[in-house]
Amino acid sequence: MTAELLAMPDLMPVLPEILLIIGAMVLLMVGAFGGEKSTPLVTGICVALLTVAGLILLVSPHYGETFNGAFVQDAFSQYLKVLVLIGSGFAIAMSVAYARSQNFDRFEYPILIVIATVGMMLMLSANDLISMYLGIELQSLALYVVAAINRDSVRSTEAGLKYFVLGALSSGMLLYGMSFIYGFTGHTDFAGIASALTEERASLGLVFGIVFMLAGIAFKISAVPFHMWTPDVYEGAPTPVTAFFAAAPKVAAFGMLIRVLVEPLGQVTTDWQQIVVFIAIASMGLGAFAAIGQRNIKRLMAYSSIGNMGYALVGLAAGTEAGIEGVIVFMTAYLAMTLGAFACILSMRRKEGMVEEISDLAGLSKTNLPMAVLLAVIMFSLTGLPPLFGFFGKFYVFIAAVEAGLVPLVVIGLVASVVAAYYYLRVIKVMFFDDATGEFLPMSGEMKIVLGLSSAVVGLFFIMPEPIMNAAANAASVLF
């Protein structure tokens, strides 16, 4: 046993993570010795590292388990890791012009995003409660700092503090739940937990553990009732940071939630299904109704994000392979729509500075028609109108829930979608039918690229859906 523990683990499945973490450590030294003038170099290398890690995953993914089964690389983690790397890479690229204009272009920012990305990739490959927690904390600690990175802004500092305090609380709940699961099964590894759960119903202690663990993870995906940090942090954090928070960490946390519920706790689906259904209904409802009165577009996107997590939970509540496939497609659409929307929000810049009110978009079709049209496409997709990508994301999760007999949940989801359509369409109405209030400064090159790519994915998915659908089906089948 001792020799087995001391044996060198197979490092090939962990190659992208090793590349990123060594790169981050080296770049930290480059930044420390080179000072602020090294920021452009560090930023460029960080984007390159994320790109290379993504290419390794796409071209030669080494499937298998390592570190005594605590880390697993499979088609499921591969697909979601590629999404996370895309989200992180675009988040760094989108921050360049903003950071320069707001005087917080520090070399630490892209390095922290790379470190957070490594944490997210560990979350997606975790095959043990302990490795899962290590991934969560590595991600969270970097995100707390990133939220407060603009030290000169009171709002940014407040956002970082709120996120830290509530994040620490959620980590405590998560650990408490894990300790219950370990206590009642005698295992921390997912295979061991699954083998200990032979009967269909979980014991009362185990249900307590599942409830607390789900509460901790629900915070990470900002699902109701653990959403309270989201609007304040989204509004207070610098906008590129908000774009990052809305994209990659959500995908990683949701992927981890899927794995932990399906693999070790798949035997007791009936016990966790009720909890997921409740959180899904609450998230869809609050996301739809609370966003109606919002005037700040970042707060609007926060409530939109809460609602979207509710729709994704509908697919998870089904607990079937079709449901998980639907969730993966939905999260892909969500990432594309979020990055596109934030590329537009980051371009809401006038000579006097950044603006964030929805009313500031008034008459955008008259002053910048391409941006208005592409943002309208993204808003229609968030509404769920066919044939846009957002429609297919909702369609697949709802169909899976109907097949699993969760018809009332789907009806609630459809009603929430109709209510949510109001505030998405309001943004379009303001852009196309209100009188122009003033022109924005021209979009930067990187914003045009992000907006163009995300709009193309959102708008043209229906022409060639096979690559994403096949990859999602392959990723979902691994868990069953």
Side-chain angles (χ1 to χ4, degrees), residues 142-454:
L143 293 188
Y144 299 149
V145 181
V146 168
I149 191 108
N150 191 1
R151 294 191 293 263
D152 302 328
S153 164
V154 177
R155 285 169 67 196
S156 178
T157 312
E158 182 191 342
L161 192 61
K162 279 180 180 171
Y163 192 32
F164 170 68
V165 171
L166 291 167
L169 175 70
S170 81
S171 293
M173 293 169 84
L174 189 75
L175 273 179
Y176 190 54
M178 286 178 178
S179 67
F180 266 97
I181 291 171
Y182 171 63
F184 281 88
T185 62
H187 296 274
T188 59
D189 61 299
F190 289 177
I193 294 168
S195 65
L197 300 176
T198 45
E199 66 275 6
E200 284 294 306
R201 302 292 298 179
S203 63
L204 184 63
L206 190 67
V207 171
F208 262 94
I210 293 170
V211 169
F212 275 103
M213 189 168 70
L214 278 177
I217 301 174
F219 174 90
K220 303 297 177 194
I221 61 169
S222 63
V224 178
F226 307 97
H227 66 286
M228 64 290 281
W229 62 276
T230 317
D232 291 342
V233 173
Y234 273 40
E235 185 182 6
T239 310
V241 175
T242 306
F244 177 57
F245 280 8
K250 292 282 171 68
V251 174
F254 218 104
M256 179 186 73
L257 176 62
I258 291 170
R259 192 185 286 280
V260 81
L261 288 181
V262 173
E263 286 195 334
L265 302 172
Q267 295 273 15
V268 291
T269 302
T270 44
D271 290 291
W272 57 254
Q273 190 180 46
Q274 299 161 28
I275 307 166
V276 173
V277 166
F278 167 75
I279 296 174
I281 292 170
S283 300
M284 290 186 296
L286 185 111
F289 288 99
I292 289 173
Q294 299 305 320
R295 298 284 169 265
N296 182 294
I297 194 156
K298 283 162 73 177
R299 287 185 80 87
L300 179 81
M301 290 305 294
Y303 285 109
S304 167
S305 165
I306 293 166
N308 276 308
M309 292 302 106
Y311 301 128
L313 285 165
V314 171
L316 179 57
T320 59
E321 191 175 322
I324 302 306
E325 185 185 333
V327 174
I328 295 169
V329 173
F330 183 89
M331 293 309 289
T332 310
Y334 170 77
L335 182 77
M337 296 183 296
T338 301
L339 289 172
F342 274 99
C344 291
I345 294 168
L346 276 159
S347 302
M348 291 170 62
R349 200 157 50 92
R350 297 205 173 105
K351 289 188 181 73
E352 57 271 20
M354 297 292 297
V355 289
E356 292 175 1
E357 298 300 304
I358 295 168
S359 57
D360 291 309
L361 287 165
L364 184 64
S365 61
K366 299 173 187 72
T367 56
N368 189 342
L369 185 61
M371 179 175 159
V373 169
L374 294 179
L375 182 55
V377 168
I378 287 163
M379 288 294 158
F380 279 131
S381 182
L382 282 163
T383 307
L385 290 183
L388 301 172
F389 200 173
F391 164 77
F392 290 99
K394 285 183 183 175
F395 177 75
Y396 289 122
V397 292
F398 286 165
I399 285 291
V402 169
E403 286 171 357
L406 300 173
V407 178
L409 179 61
V410 173
V411 171
I412 294 168
L414 291 170
V415 171
S417 288
V418 172
V419 174
Y422 166 76
Y423 57 79
Y424 293 129
L425 296 177
R426 191 179 87 209
V427 174
I428 297 169
K429 175 254 176 194
V430 167
M431 290 192 297
F432 284 88
F433 299 107
D434 287 11
D435 293 328
T437 52
E439 264 188 77
F440 294 139
L441 295 175
M443 287 182 94
S444 62
E446 55 269 22
M447 292 303 169
K448 287 178 182 170
I449 293 168
V450 175
L451 180 57
L453 287 173
S454 65

Side-chain angles (χ1 to χ4, degrees), residues 39-51:
T39 303
L41 173 70
V42 171
T43 303
I45 295 175
C46 282
V47 174
L49 281 171
L50 294 167
T51 307

